[in-house]
Amino acid sequence: MSIKFLAEDDRPREKFLRKGKDSLSDSELLAIVMGSGNKDESALELARKILSCVNNNWNELSLLSVKELMKFKGIGEVKALSIATSLEIGRRRARQEISDKPVISNSNDAYVIFKNHLSDLRTEEFWALFLNQSNKVTQISQLTQGGISQSIVDVRVLFKTALDNFSTGVIIAHNHPSGSLKPSREDLTITQKIKEAGRFLSIQLLDHLIITQNAYFSFSDEGLL
């Protein structure tokens, strides 16, 4: 059944205009992004099918590539790009919601910032927060972007950025696309290397977080610093 044959209140676009965006379900929002379905399914039915395949989870949907989205009947390159673009806009909006110079008082404060950058990636990336004496964030930077298995950070680049920002503390983080929160031997080694380098420069390594899609591991909380 085409969306045009549904009751007016059940048409996603009309429902958005008449009742507002908060009245729409996830599948209705996705149907609007797609615009149409296929010869056997309306946009709404196709949206429900796609979301059910990712456990009705936007984060899981954002992990699908354009080619993977195109495996659904009725999703061509244009629709796949529209879906991926909408999800990326949402991700960037979430990043911008961070207040100016937030104060970091614990590992969760840092995680709230890092998760918008690292939680839904398929390859490892290495990021850092640079803090002043009041533990206010002065800058957040991506330091490396690696492969699926690991991302190697250049300690010199890390501390050059810290010095440029007159930072007295840094918090580093990287993601594990595998979902494992267990630190690898390389994770432990680079943490100690950064800690020792910071000691000579009077820039303290305050924490190292491992980020997965729904959780994090704190070296500081676990007594590994």
Side-chain angles (χ1 to χ4, degrees):
M1 180 186 295
S2 172
I3 284 180
K4 67 182 180 180
F5 293 111
L6 296 175
E8 186 173 345
D9 281 351
D10 293 329
R11 299 175 191 169
R13 290 192 185 91
E14 286 81 355
K15 188 175 179 181
F16 188 110
L17 294 172
R18 289 169 59 87
K19 297 183 178 180
K21 58 187 179 183
D22 291 337
S23 69
L24 271 66
S25 66
D26 287 353
S27 55
E28 288 170 328
L29 289 170
L30 183 56
I32 291 176
V33 171
M34 294 190 302
S36 62
N38 55 49
K39 66 178 183 179
D40 299 316
E41 300 168 304
S42 69
L44 189 55
E45 291 169 331
L46 180 56
R48 288 179 182 140
K49 176 186 288 186
I50 292 172
L51 286 172
S52 69
C53 289
V54 291
N55 301 310
N56 294 299
N57 186 298
W58 289 114
N59 285 324
E60 290 189 25
L61 182 60
S62 72
L63 294 176
L64 299 185
S65 66
V66 168
K67 287 185 178 181
E68 289 171 327
L69 288 168
M70 289 173 63
K71 291 180 180 179
F72 291 97
K73 184 179 179 181
I75 301 297
E77 186 175 72
V78 173
K79 286 183 185 177
L81 284 170
S82 295
I83 295 170
T85 299
S86 297
L87 292 167
E88 178 61 20
I89 289 172
R91 183 182 174 202
R92 295 188 185 188
R93 178 183 182 275
R95 290 180 181 179
Q96 293 173 352
E97 288 177 347
I98 300 171
S99 61
D100 290 338
K101 294 187 177 180
V103 176
I104 305 298
S105 58
N106 53 52
S107 62
N108 190 69
D109 290 342
Y111 169 66
V112 168
I113 297 175
F114 280 129
K115 72 176 182 178
N116 290 323
H117 300 272
L118 290 166
S119 63
D120 59 354
L121 302 178
R122 285 192 165 186
T123 58
E124 283 195 15
E125 293 187 6
F126 198 103
W127 288 68
L129 291 177
F130 299 92
L131 288 70
N132 62 20
Q133 288 183 331
S134 300
N135 278 349
K136 287 185 178 180
V137 176
T138 59
Q139 183 170 322
I140 178 170
S141 297
Q142 180 196 59
L143 299 177
T144 64
Q145 183 176 16
I148 292 176
S149 61
Q150 64 177 345
S151 181
I152 305 301
V153 63
D154 189 328
V155 178
R156 295 169 299 178
V157 173
L158 171 66
F159 283 105
K160 180 182 184 301
T161 306
L163 291 168
D164 289 344
N165 283 274
F166 302 99
S167 303
T168 59
V170 295
I171 299 175
I172 57 176
H174 75 283
N175 60 311
H176 278 181
S178 66
S180 171
L181 287 172
K182 183 178 179 181
S184 67
R185 184 168 59 182
E186 291 78 10
D187 295 338
L188 295 168
T189 299
I190 194 64
T191 301
Q192 289 305 310
K193 186 176 180 180
I194 292 172
K195 179 181 177 180
E196 291 300 319
R199 186 173 297 165
F200 285 105
L201 297 170
S202 297
I203 300 174
Q204 184 180 3
L205 176 61
L206 300 171
D207 205 347
H208 181 180
L209 303 184
I210 296 173
I211 310 290
T212 63
Q213 191 170 19
N214 299 307
Y216 73 96
F217 177 95
S218 164
F219 279 63
S220 178
D221 291 352
E222 298 301 325
L224 296 177
L225 282 182

